[in-house]
Amino acid sequence: MHKRISQKDVSCPSSLWSDFIFSDAEQKRPLPASLAVGVLEGEGIGREVIQAAMQVLSALESIGKNKFAVEFGGIIGTEAESACGKPLSDEVLEFCRDIFSRKGAILSGPGGGRFVYDLRKEFDLFCKISPLKVSPELTRAVHIKSSYLENVDILLVRENASGIYQGRWDEMSTRSEGRRAEQSFFYTETQVRRILEVAARMASCRRGEMAVVLKDAGIPTISKLWKECAIEIASGYGLKYSFPNVDYAAYCLVQDPQDFDVIVASNLFGDVLADLGGVLLGSRGITYSGNFSGNGAAVYQTNHGSCHDLSSQNKANPIGQIFSLAMLLRESFGLSQDAGLIEAAVAETWRQGWRTADLAEKGSRVVGTSEMGNLVADTLIRISRTRTE
């Protein structure tokens, strides 16, 4: 049994959730001269939204905040699979290893195929954090009544390196049944405990509530393992905990989102709930996340796909990628002021009525991907000047 942990034993940084994941929080913070940002542009709309994020990063550098060593890696996803037979090439693997060895972080655009799953497995990026915090500037653009969205601030913690996405699969044919597809997976107690421990520590520094998403009758043994480990760990932190089944959790996430604080879920369940959470925010295009290992490696990305149907049309929403950049600066480099400046610039841009098409509402001014990136960058510079006057 784990010992009971009192509130005073838990260090609660203001916003650095990565401190609860990295085994040595201080080791992840590079010197200012070593702010290495490895960029994987991705495919589809990836290059466009990454370019918008780079515009914002350049704006930060122009006001003299910090200087970043930005390096671009190779192709990923289905493009890489066509070129070299693997969605995660050896070249990109070596690129990521080099960035991580210098205590840098990866900003990734979307990549198809098994790119993200292979990347997470290779670097044991076991914890994915997806913030679901409603922006007051967008309440009229969300397809849910604004009264249900007040103070919605959810942290979705997803087990990211095990479970069904890292299982075994096979395909065969039989005379009697035709083709048969198989998939099997498992969870170990070690895998379950480490993600629950992260979620519990985070919950102890928030409202003290943790919802552990299961499917107890449908997936009985795995759900039993998660539940028993969660009861022990949550009790040790003095948390209020619940065990909604995934279907009910999805319903409640839309019906009563204010009831949630920290949600922790398995790989598949967390994936589905994070996308559903985009409804609360107003668009999947503004969802984002960080993928973390225990040794300081981190990859930041949007929660949407490559959207090839929008590629090269200057229509994609780049804000999810810009928010993932802000998350990188805060969580991997400890640059909370820089991250906050980016977030404030996005909020002010929205407040002025600028929108991409997915968030358009009556009276808004609709712009494309690159224009939105320019607007956020310009607003960032303007806000910075007013703060220093």
Side-chain angles (χ1 to χ4, degrees), residues 322-364:
I322 292 170
F323 277 159
S324 69
L325 170 64
M327 191 181 195
L328 181 156
L329 298 180
R330 177 180 288 119
E331 300 295 342
S332 282
F333 297 155
L335 299 175
S336 295
Q337 285 189 335
D338 289 51
L341 191 57
I342 292 174
E343 292 158 351
V346 170
E348 179 60 22
T349 302
W350 282 337
R351 199 175 294 119
Q352 295 298 320
W354 297 106
R355 300 281 191 277
T356 43
D358 56 326
L359 288 171
E361 55 184 290
K362 187 176 181 180
S364 61

Side-chain angles (χ1 to χ4, degrees), residues 164-240:
I164 194 168
Y165 292 160
Q166 298 295 351
R168 298 177 181 175
W169 56 88
D170 196 9
E171 186 177 5
M172 62 193 71
S173 295
T174 66
R175 288 185 177 181
S176 59
E177 297 176 312
R179 288 184 298 167
R180 185 173 79 184
E182 297 181 354
Q183 182 109 359
S184 61
F185 70 100
F186 62 87
Y187 268 109
T188 68
E189 184 174 356
T190 298
Q191 292 166 344
V192 172
R193 281 188 176 277
R194 69 174 179 173
I195 194 66
L196 288 172
E197 183 72 27
V198 169
R201 291 201 66 189
M202 291 178 178
S204 69
C205 292
R206 288 166 59 94
R207 283 166 33 190
E209 301 174 10
M210 184 171 76
V212 185
V213 178
L214 310 171
K215 188 63 177 178
D216 48 9
I219 313 175
T221 55
I222 289 177
S223 296
K224 180 173 179 284
L225 176 62
W226 277 73
K227 189 171 187 177
E228 290 177 351
C229 291
I231 290 172
E232 180 181 335
I233 292 171
S235 298
Y237 283 93
L239 302 177
K240 179 181 178 182

Side-chain angles (χ1 to χ4, degrees), residues 120-383:
R120 293 162 189 169
K121 183 177 182 179
E122 182 68 32
F123 294 104
D124 194 26
L125 303 169
F126 76 95
C127 179
K128 183 172 186 174
I129 301 176
S130 297
L132 300 174
K133 186 173 183 178
V134 174
S135 300
E137 295 82 11
L138 297 181
T139 52
R140 291 190 304 168
V142 181
H143 296 175
I144 298 175
K145 290 182 179 179
S146 58
S147 59
Y148 290 93
L149 298 174
E150 291 180 5
N151 302 316
V152 169
D153 182 2
I154 301 166
L155 210 57
L156 179 57
V157 181
R158 168 183 166 188
E159 198 292 314
N160 207 34
S162 309
I164 194 168
Y165 292 160
Q166 298 295 351
R168 298 177 181 175
W169 56 88
D170 196 9
E171 186 177 5
M172 62 193 71
S173 295
T174 66
R175 288 185 177 181
S176 59
E177 297 176 312
R179 288 184 298 167
R180 185 173 79 184
E182 297 181 354
Q183 182 109 359
S184 61
F185 70 100
F186 62 87
Y187 268 109
T188 68
E189 184 174 356
T190 298
Q191 292 166 344
V192 172
R193 281 188 176 277
R194 69 174 179 173
I195 194 66
L196 288 172
E197 183 72 27
V198 169
R201 291 201 66 189
M202 291 178 178
S204 69
C205 292
R206 288 166 59 94
R207 283 166 33 190
E209 301 174 10
M210 184 171 76
V212 185
V213 178
L214 310 171
K215 188 63 177 178
D216 48 9
I219 313 175
T221 55
I222 289 177
S223 296
K224 180 173 179 284
L225 176 62
W226 277 73
K227 189 171 187 177
E228 290 177 351
C229 291
I231 290 172
E232 180 181 335
I233 292 171
S235 298
Y237 283 93
L239 302 177
K240 179 181 178 182
Y241 53 86
S242 61
F243 299 102
N245 273 261
V246 62
D247 44 353
Y248 184 59
Y251 169 81
C252 292
L253 187 61
V254 176
Q255 183 74 4
D256 298 300
Q258 294 157 326
D259 290 348
F260 287 111
D261 181 22
V262 171
I263 300 174
V264 57
S266 63
N267 210 337
L268 172 61
F269 294 169
D271 186 14
V272 173
L273 292 175
D275 274 4
L276 182 60
V279 177
L280 303 176
L281 306 184
S283 170
R284 195 180 179 205
I286 62 176
T287 60
Y288 65 101
S289 59
N291 305 261
F292 303 94
S293 74
N295 62 8
V299 176
Y300 301 85
Q301 62 177 129
T302 66
N303 282 351
H304 60 70
S306 304
C307 304
H308 288 276
D309 57 323
L310 295 180
S311 179
S312 302
Q313 296 182 44
N314 196 36
K315 291 182 178 180
N317 190 335
I319 299 300
Q321 196 74 71
I322 292 170
F323 277 159
S324 69
L325 170 64
M327 191 181 195
L328 181 156
L329 298 180
R330 177 180 288 119
E331 300 295 342
S332 282
F333 297 155
L335 299 175
S336 295
Q337 285 189 335
D338 289 51
L341 191 57
I342 292 174
E343 292 158 351
V346 170
E348 179 60 22
T349 302
W350 282 337
R351 199 175 294 119
Q352 295 298 320
W354 297 106
R355 300 281 191 277
T356 43
D358 56 326
L359 288 171
E361 55 184 290
K362 187 176 181 180
S364 61
R365 296 179 281 184
V366 178
V367 295
T369 311
S370 61
E371 292 84 0
M372 180 59 75
N374 281 326
L375 284 165
V376 174
D378 291 345
T379 303
L380 184 151
I381 293 172
R382 177 167 52 83
I383 290 176

